[in-house]
């Protein structure tokens, strides 16, 4: 059992499940929604009647997104229940119903619901245990009837991201293994050393479906939150469904020759930018005083491992240009490399097998980022929080956070990168905007997301051409259905296909031009005037998974998702869509790291 306690508008009363009909997750059993939810609902109604409190059930909210606290347990054979209590926004507040709503009343109602849950669960424990057993047995039978016998996934260019997704599956008790042989898919070769196979016929079949399957058909059109959730897309990994089960390999983890130390070199070291955690490795090296350069053209070099290919963005550490001895540099490299699986290569010459030589101008110097991140008033707390988490917790990159109200008193010349999460920035005066302009014009690296992009346009830093989202008028719509008609035209959260320019510095480390982005707003920005500034653009058939009206999908065609513009000697990255949404989008959050390290060189 999981109870998920929330607050809603003050003019409401108290809500408990079931949610509205038609909003259920398609892979959760009808028994859960019809029998079990109603079993608990009867107890809630009785308890709330006893304390003379009004309530509602079965007419609002949705239960489709598996990331809700009120739906996650449903995918594991448990029962999850949503409670929504009218909020006081303080100790007490007048309500539209004519009474004073007190904070303690809300606490009482939530506790009443929780205790009723415990009582009903204990009284029906045998039935609930039986349901969980049947849930997993039925899931195995359903998997056995499916033509899809499993999914293979992996990216030989990016073991870090592959391992991160495998770890996500492990934490959800999903079984997987490495295949004994390479798998030739319809569009990708999955090498056995860098791939995993997830069989569908397993107790966690429902979680396998959640992680890999898409959905575009919904009985309802009004949603509280996201309507797409197949996490393999958010990790941006190649994958394919298979109808034949491959033989399992010996290894249970990806076999990467990673943390082995390279031979000492008096000339230079190289490592690829394709691994998701390459920015973390670079940051650790630079924090120890190591100077580095980045390749803006792909090349092949003769290393201690033989001829090795390197993508755009790959890092060169020139030994003679350091303020330390080759031995001290080697000690730093071996100690830092030991914390990662990324392979560092030794080189002994500028001559390459293909592409620019190591002394060419295509290898541009990198600067150690000093990052300022805006928070608080007028800034999305989730946008600021997930960005901070990506930098601090995932990549070990230091970041200074300031409230927007303190911006006018902050010496921004101390920083070479400023990140503006989505927000309208009401605390910024005209002088504040002009100071930001001068900072960028002088060489600053500015990164903006969501509504912050619109703020920069209003401040005169960028020029945008947007298409207004007009809700089409449907004949015969009555007053009683008008709200629902308007609501279905919102984009609550969908997965979309786009094309990324992998030759642009924001696209460094990507090997394929197709990319999945997350869209949860109705701001449509036309491509920028200069084609080379359009880094990520939606395709003409963008919807991968989730609910969107035909009109909204049409409006997405060919619009901008990520842009890049210069301003004076500075650079501005424009993320129309949030690339770090809820901290679970490694497939696009790499672009944020590219903007930090590569943006100053654009």
């Amino acid at each position: 059992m999981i109870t998920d306690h929330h607050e809603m508008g003050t003019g409401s009363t108290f809500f408990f499940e079931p949610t509205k009909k038609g909003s259920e997750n398609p892979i959760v059993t009808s028994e859960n929604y019809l029998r079990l939810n109603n079993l608990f609902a009867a107890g809630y109604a009785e308890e709330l009647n006893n304390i003379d409190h009004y309530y509602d059930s079965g007419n609002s909210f949705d239960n489709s997104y598996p990331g809700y606290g009120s739906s996650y347990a449903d995918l594991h054979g448990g029962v999850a229940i949503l409670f929504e209590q009218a909020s006081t926004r303080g100790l007490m507040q007048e309500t539209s119903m004519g009474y004073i709503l007190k904070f303690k009343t809300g606490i009482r109602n939530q506790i009443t619901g929780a205790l009723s849950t415990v009582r009903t669960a204990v009284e029906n424990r045998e039935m609930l245990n039986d349901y969980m057993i049947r849930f997993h047995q039925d899931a195995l039978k359903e998997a056995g009837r499916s033509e899809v016998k499993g999914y293979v996934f992996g990216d030989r260019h990016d073991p870090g991201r592959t391992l991160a997704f495998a770890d996500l599956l492990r934490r959800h008790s999903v079984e997987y293994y490495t295949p004994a042989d390479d798998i030739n898919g319809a569009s990708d070769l999955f090498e056995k050393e860098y791939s995993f196979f997830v069989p569908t016929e397993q107790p966690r079949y429902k979680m396998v479906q959640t992680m890999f399957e898409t959905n575009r058909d919904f009985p309802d059109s009004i949603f509280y939150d996201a309507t797409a959730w197949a996490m393999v897309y958010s990790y941006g990994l190649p994958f394919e469904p298979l109808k034949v089960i491959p033989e399992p390999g010996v290894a249970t983890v990806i076999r990467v020759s990673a943390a082995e130390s390279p031979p000492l070199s008096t000339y230079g070291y190289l490592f690829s930018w394709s691994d998701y955690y390459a920015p973390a490795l670079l940051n650790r090296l630079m924090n120890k005083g190591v100077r580095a350069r980045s390749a803006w053209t792909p090349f092949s070099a003769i290393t201690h491992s033989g001829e090795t290919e390197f993508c755009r963005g790959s890092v060169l550490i020139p030994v003679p240009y350091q303020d330390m001895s080759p031995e001290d540099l080697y000690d730093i490299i071996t100690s830092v490399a030991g914390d990662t699986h990324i392979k560092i290569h030794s080189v002994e010459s500028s001559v390459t097998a293909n592409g620019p030589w190591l002394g060419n101008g295509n290898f541009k110097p990198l600067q150690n980022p000093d990052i300022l991140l805006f928070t608080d008033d007028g800034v999305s707390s989730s946008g600021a929080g997930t960005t901070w988490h990506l930098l601090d917790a995932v990549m070990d990159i230091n970041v200074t956070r300031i409230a927007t109200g303190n911006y006018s008193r902050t010496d921004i010349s101390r920083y070479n990168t400023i990140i503006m999460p989505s927000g309208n920035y009401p605390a910024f005066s005209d002088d504040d905007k002009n100071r930001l302009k001068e900072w960028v014009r002088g060489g600053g690296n500015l990164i903006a997301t969501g509504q912050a992009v619109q703020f920069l346009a209003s401040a005169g830093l960028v020029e945008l051409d947007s298409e207004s989202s007009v809700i089409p008028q449907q004949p015969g719509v009555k007053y009683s259905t008008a709200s629902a008609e308007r609501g279905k035209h919102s984009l609550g959260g969908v997965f979309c296909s786009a094309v990324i320019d992998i030759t642009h510095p924001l696209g460094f480390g990507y090997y394929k031009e197709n990319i999945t982005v997350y869209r949860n707003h109705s701001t449509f920005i036309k491509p920028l005037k200069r084609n080379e500034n359009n880094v990520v653009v939606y395709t003409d058939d963008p919807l991968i998974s989730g609910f969107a009206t035909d009109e909204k999908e049409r409006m997405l065609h060919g619009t901008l998702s990520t842009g890049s513009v210069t301003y004076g000697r500075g650079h501005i990255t424009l993320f129309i869509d949030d690339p770090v949404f809820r901290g679970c989008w490694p497939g696009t959050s790499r672009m944020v790291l590219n903007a930090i390290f590569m943006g100053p060189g654009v």
Side-chain angles (χ1 to χ4, degrees):
M1 289 297 311
I2 291 180
T3 55
D4 191 17
H5 300 261
H6 289 257
E7 288 188 322
M8 54 182 172
T10 303
S12 305
T13 55
F14 188 81
F15 175 88
F16 52 81
E17 291 196 36
T19 53
K20 63 179 178 177
K21 187 173 178 58
S23 69
E24 302 88 357
N25 186 296
I27 65 174
V28 175
T29 65
S30 59
E31 181 180 359
N32 179 293
Y33 292 126
L34 298 177
R35 182 188 181 194
L36 301 183
N37 276 196
N38 286 313
L39 170 68
F40 284 88
Y44 304 142
E46 180 181 354
E47 297 292 341
L48 290 167
N49 287 338
N50 291 338
I51 58 176
D52 297 325
H53 194 85
Y54 280 76
Y55 52 87
D56 185 31
S57 182
N59 298 301
S60 56
F61 299 100
D62 73 79
N63 226 331
S64 58
Y65 180 54
Y68 294 147
S70 57
S71 58
Y72 180 76
D74 297 336
L75 298 166
H76 295 272
V79 180
I81 299 292
L82 170 68
F83 295 122
E84 292 277 355
Q85 164 64 40
S87 174
T88 62
R89 309 292 201 273
L91 290 178
M92 62 180 64
Q93 187 172 162
E94 292 182 351
T95 71
S96 59
M97 298 182 70
Y99 74 100
I100 302 296
L101 176 62
K102 297 181 179 180
F103 181 52
K104 66 179 182 180
T105 302
I107 295 176
R108 180 202 64 182
N109 294 343
Q110 296 280 23
I111 292 177
T112 298
L115 292 178
S116 176
T117 303
V118 173
R119 186 177 300 109
T120 303
V122 171
E123 292 174 352
N124 296 274
R125 58 189 179 277
E126 292 183 1
M127 181 188 71
L128 293 174
N129 285 332
D130 175 70
Y131 169 75
M132 177 173 280
I133 293 171
R134 287 187 292 104
F135 177 90
H136 292 296
Q137 291 174 341
D138 292 344
L140 282 170
K141 295 176 183 177
E142 183 181 342
R145 293 190 297 267
S146 173
E147 289 186 356
V148 176
K149 298 306 177 184
Y151 297 88
V152 61
F153 71 91
D155 188 345
R156 69 180 181 87
H157 301 294
D158 195 345
R161 199 153 36 100
T162 302
L163 287 169
F165 184 63
D167 186 61
L168 177 69
L169 297 177
R170 178 192 60 78
R171 286 185 278 124
H172 289 277
S173 301
V174 174
E175 301 170 3
Y176 56 85
Y177 59 81
T178 53
D181 301 298
D182 296 346
I183 297 175
N184 284 295
S187 58
D188 286 283
L189 170 64
F190 296 91
E191 299 179 24
K192 60 184 180 181
E193 293 88 354
Y194 303 99
S195 301
F196 288 112
F197 176 74
V198 182
T200 53
E201 201 163 343
Q202 60 171 291
R204 300 300 183 192
Y205 174 56
K206 297 296 184 180
M207 281 306 300
V208 175
Q209 289 180 289
T210 300
M211 294 291 186
F212 289 94
E213 292 185 4
T214 60
N215 188 18
R216 294 176 54 166
D217 298 318
F218 296 87
D220 196 11
S221 60
I222 309 296
F223 298 92
Y224 180 75
D225 200 348
T227 58
W229 46 76
M231 296 296 289
V232 70
Y233 286 94
S234 68
Y235 276 71
L237 287 169
F239 79 99
E240 286 193 28
L242 299 181
K243 295 183 178 181
V244 178
I245 300 176
E247 288 294 323
V250 176
T252 56
V253 296
I254 292 180
R255 300 183 288 274
V256 287
S257 54
E260 61 184 36
S261 298
L264 185 147
S265 173
T266 58
Y267 200 83
Y269 301 93
L270 292 166
F271 64 87
S272 175
W273 193 248
S274 64
D275 193 279
Y276 181 65
Y277 294 100
L281 173 57
L282 172 61
N283 181 70
R284 291 172 188 164
L285 291 169
M286 297 181 79
N287 283 342
K288 292 183 178 293
V290 176
R291 295 194 181 100
R293 292 174 174 266
S294 175
W296 286 46
T297 303
F299 65 98
S300 298
I302 305 301
T303 73
H304 75 278
S305 303
E307 184 174 338
T308 306
E309 294 182 354
F310 293 91
C311 65
R312 290 179 175 87
S314 293
V315 176
L316 165 65
I317 302 171
V319 177
Y321 301 156
Q322 308 294 329
D323 292 332
M324 61 186 78
S325 68
E327 290 75 19
D328 289 342
L329 174 62
Y330 182 72
D331 288 342
I332 291 174
I333 287 176
T334 53
S335 64
V336 170
D339 297 330
T340 178
H341 56 262
I342 299 173
K343 187 171 185 177
I344 298 179
H345 303 261
S346 297
V347 291
E348 301 299 337
S349 172
S350 287
V351 178
T352 61
N354 287 292
W357 289 11
L358 302 187
N360 187 275
N362 275 285
F363 289 84
K364 298 191 176 186
L366 295 167
Q367 63 180 13
N368 200 357
D370 290 313
I371 303 171
L372 183 67
L373 173 68
F374 286 124
T375 63
D376 292 343
D377 187 32
V379 175
S380 165
S381 57
S382 60
T386 52
T387 302
W388 179 30
H389 177 267
L390 169 69
L391 300 179
D392 181 72
V394 180
M395 295 294 166
D396 195 25
I397 297 175
N398 294 329
V399 57
T400 299
R401 293 164 291 124
I402 68 161
T404 55
N406 294 329
Y407 168 68
S408 60
R409 301 187 296 274
T410 301
D411 179 12
I412 60 175
S413 65
R414 298 172 50 195
Y415 305 96
N416 53 35
T417 297
I418 292 179
I419 301 178
M420 302 181 72
S422 185
N424 55 13
Y425 294 83
F428 275 48
S429 65
D430 289 342
D431 288 341
D432 292 334
K433 296 174 185 177
N434 289 330
R435 196 156 64 98
L436 185 63
K437 285 183 182 179
E438 291 305 312
W439 177 84
V440 179
R441 186 180 287 117
N445 182 36
L446 183 61
I447 303 169
T449 299
Q451 290 181 325
V453 174
Q454 301 281 19
F455 170 80
L456 295 184
S458 67
L461 277 88
V462 295
E463 293 184 11
L464 300 177
D465 185 2
S466 60
E467 181 179 359
S468 37
S469 175
V470 179
I471 297 175
Q473 297 298 312
Q474 299 293 334
V477 174
K478 298 184 182 298
Y479 178 82
S480 60
T481 59
S483 178
E485 177 64 26
R486 289 191 298 271
K488 77 177 186 181
H489 290 279
S490 66
L491 285 172
V494 296
F495 292 0
C496 294
S497 64
V499 176
I500 181 171
D501 181 358
I502 62 176
T503 71
H504 191 283
L506 296 184
F508 284 0
Y510 291 92
Y511 273 81
K512 292 186 175 183
E513 293 184 338
N514 57 304
I515 188 172
T516 302
V517 298
Y518 186 79
R519 164 61 68 120
N520 63 345
H521 61 88
S522 295
T523 300
F524 302 94
I525 305 297
K526 296 180 181 179
L528 303 172
K529 293 179 181 179
R530 297 169 64 97
N531 288 334
E532 64 269 26
N533 293 343
N534 300 308
V535 182
V536 179
V537 176
Y538 285 96
T539 66
D540 289 337
D541 184 20
L543 187 62
I544 295 174
S545 186
F547 177 82
T549 62
D550 292 342
E551 175 68 11
K552 279 294 188 290
E553 187 175 358
R554 181 199 64 78
M555 294 182 71
L556 278 172
H557 294 182
T559 57
L560 184 68
S561 178
T562 301
S564 163
V565 296
T566 55
Y567 189 86
R569 293 190 294 111
H571 176 257
I572 305 175
T573 299
L574 309 171
F575 289 116
I576 312 302
D577 303 304
D578 187 357
V580 292
F581 179 73
R582 291 181 179 167
C584 60
W585 276 82
T588 51
S589 60
R590 171 197 296 276
M591 289 190 290
V592 176
L593 301 163
N594 282 345
I596 291 171
F597 287 101
M598 311 299 172
V602 176

